[in-house]
Amino acid sequence: MDDCSDCFEAFITIPGAPEDGVMGRLEGYLHDAYNVLDGLIVESQDPSQRQHLARLARSLYKAIDASSALRR
């Protein structure tokens, strides 16, 4: 069985203070996810689905804001 050595970010450790490298990757991942989600909102034809996606986008935006605050 695979030892998970190539798993998605399997070996990230976050000590007490966030490291710039980890925070930079986190912000990058969050921004990428937000961009994908934004595209899904634009393409959505179902108003209910669009509303749920918009709610998720707001939560993701708050996570982006929080990650940038941790970096300061």
Side-chain angles (χ1 to χ4, degrees), residues 2-39:
D2 191 353
D3 67 356
C4 202
S5 61
D6 60 346
C7 288
F8 174 75
E9 302 299 333
F11 297 107
I12 286 181
T13 57
I14 302 175
E19 296 177 15
D20 284 341
V22 173
M23 292 308 298
R25 285 192 308 233
L26 174 61
E27 287 178 357
Y29 297 148
L30 291 171
H31 281 284
D32 288 346
Y34 185 83
N35 289 334
V36 169
L37 188 55
D38 186 52

Side-chain angles (χ1 to χ4, degrees), residues 24-71:
R25 285 192 308 233
L26 174 61
E27 287 178 357
Y29 297 148
L30 291 171
H31 281 284
D32 288 346
Y34 185 83
N35 289 334
V36 169
L37 188 55
D38 186 52
L40 291 172
I41 291 169
V42 170
E43 294 175 6
S44 176
Q45 300 296 319
D46 179 5
S48 177
Q49 182 184 35
R50 199 171 25 245
Q51 182 180 12
H52 289 296
L53 291 170
R55 183 175 179 197
L56 180 58
R58 284 190 296 275
S59 294
L60 193 51
Y61 185 80
K62 289 177 185 178
I64 291 169
D65 188 47
S67 71
S68 67
L70 286 173
R71 199 170 193 167

